[in-house]
Amino acid sequence: MVENDQQKTAGRKTVDGSSRRRFLVNSGYALGGLVVGGALGTLIKPKTTEQTAPDKTNGEQAATPKNYNQALMFFTQEQFQIAESAMERIFPEDDTGPGATSLGVAFFLDHQLAGEWGFNSRDYMSPPFFAGEKEQGYQGRLKRREIFEIGLRELENYSQQQYQSRFVKLTPEQQDEVLKAFEADTVKLTTISAGSFFKMLRSSTLEGAYSDPLYGGNANMSGWKMRNYPGSQMSYLDAIDKDFTKIEPSSLQDHLAMN
């Protein structure tokens, strides 16, 4: 079950890695085996611990630079809010680190849907369509961007039916119940599978939390820092003959020749 607000503020002295993402564990997804990578002006602002140097010309604090990568390329504002709320319940913030919202995971998904991944440009999308085996993956006429449009709309519809309220206005526990119903495929939809949509949403959440910040998520490489993942390193010569060494993560941006 996803941790509620009381559990998050209970002040645990020790952190059990298996309790970090109870929602994921209960849904049968093991974080430890994840392969990294993969496929709001007023909504959220990126967190930063860096202090901006005072403006020497007038002594005032200079404005914090904007993150222009955090802008919508595909979602409407309403779709983005629903996606962000759902992703935060799948990957919630707790005492071990930030959640999907702070990591900018919904921006990652938005940018992916706006590009080749959203258009299924590398997939065979011509008929006839059959229900493939599990290892064959999705076979159908709907593009990923269309599946997400339908899935987010149905999340909203189901929330209205069950709780007479928008999904983003539900309590965390109610949001969990809605997501569990989709995960268990008990919500019967006419155009897509609720369970398949949930799996795609969950996978995108994890990919956004752990992919290179280049793609819009994993803000400040905080997802990597939570797991002591070194990111994109050019060499491990300094650590290869040593015991486990904690390495400060590095993104693809750090390897630009101009740096």
Side-chain angles (χ1 to χ4, degrees), residues 2-22:
V2 179
E3 296 177 331
N4 56 35
D5 292 339
Q6 292 179 344
Q7 289 173 316
K8 287 176 14 180
T9 58
R12 297 190 298 273
K13 293 184 179 180
T14 60
V15 178
D16 180 358
S18 64
S19 67
R20 161 72 174 147
R21 308 295 180 200
R22 292 185 180 178

Side-chain angles (χ1 to χ4, degrees), residues 1-234:
M1 183 115 186
V2 179
E3 296 177 331
N4 56 35
D5 292 339
Q6 292 179 344
Q7 289 173 316
K8 287 176 14 180
T9 58
R12 297 190 298 273
K13 293 184 179 180
T14 60
V15 178
D16 180 358
S18 64
S19 67
R20 161 72 174 147
R21 308 295 180 200
R22 292 185 180 178
F23 191 96
L24 300 175
V25 172
N26 290 342
S27 63
Y29 197 101
L31 270 175
L34 177 70
V35 178
V36 176
L40 23 203
T42 59
L43 296 178
I44 69 170
K45 293 183 180 179
K47 294 183 178 180
T48 177
T49 57
E50 296 180 359
Q51 299 296 323
T52 305
D55 189 334
K56 295 182 180 180
T57 59
N58 55 20
E60 297 179 356
Q61 190 80 355
T64 302
K66 293 181 180 180
N67 183 351
Y68 292 102
N69 193 43
Q70 291 197 332
L72 299 183
M73 301 173 65
F74 172 72
F75 283 142
T76 65
Q77 296 284 344
E78 181 180 12
Q79 290 171 334
F80 181 87
Q81 290 175 341
I82 297 171
E84 184 181 53
S85 297
M87 296 171 110
E88 178 67 20
R89 297 312 301 156
I90 294 173
F91 199 99
E93 181 170 351
D94 61 20
D95 56 353
T96 64
T101 299
S102 297
L103 290 171
V105 169
F107 286 111
F108 164 84
L109 175 58
D110 171 77
H111 296 180
Q112 291 297 303
L113 291 174
E116 291 186 352
W117 188 78
F119 282 100
N120 295 68
S121 62
R122 299 186 182 184
D123 300 329
Y124 182 80
M125 297 292 291
S126 299
F129 301 109
F130 298 98
E133 300 296 330
K134 183 178 180 180
E135 61 271 11
Q136 291 179 311
Y138 171 75
Q139 295 188 44
R141 60 174 51 84
L142 291 176
K143 298 178 176 64
R144 293 186 184 95
R145 52 175 29 212
E146 295 170 327
I147 293 175
F148 271 94
E149 285 182 321
I150 295 170
L152 293 175
R153 183 171 65 246
E154 294 298 343
L155 269 180
E156 184 71 5
N157 291 339
Y158 186 76
S159 300
Q160 295 284 357
Q161 293 170 8
Q162 296 298 114
Y163 300 104
Q164 295 74 53
S165 179
R166 295 182 58 205
F167 180 81
V168 297
K169 297 296 185 180
L170 299 180
T171 66
E173 293 77 18
Q174 290 172 335
Q175 290 178 337
D176 292 346
E177 291 303 316
V178 172
L179 292 173
K180 286 185 196 177
F182 271 70
E183 179 190 18
D185 214 14
T186 57
V187 182
K188 300 306 178 184
L189 307 178
T190 57
T191 51
I192 63 173
S193 161
S196 296
F197 165 70
F198 176 83
K199 291 178 182 177
M200 191 178 297
L201 178 64
R202 182 181 61 187
S203 296
S204 297
T205 300
L206 296 175
E207 290 169 4
Y210 295 121
S211 61
D212 193 283
L214 163 71
Y215 300 103
N218 190 14
N220 300 318
M221 298 184 285
S222 295
W224 290 347
K225 293 174 184 176
M226 281 192 289
R227 303 194 63 78
N228 289 327
Y229 181 73
S232 175
Q233 300 287 331
M234 293 293 100

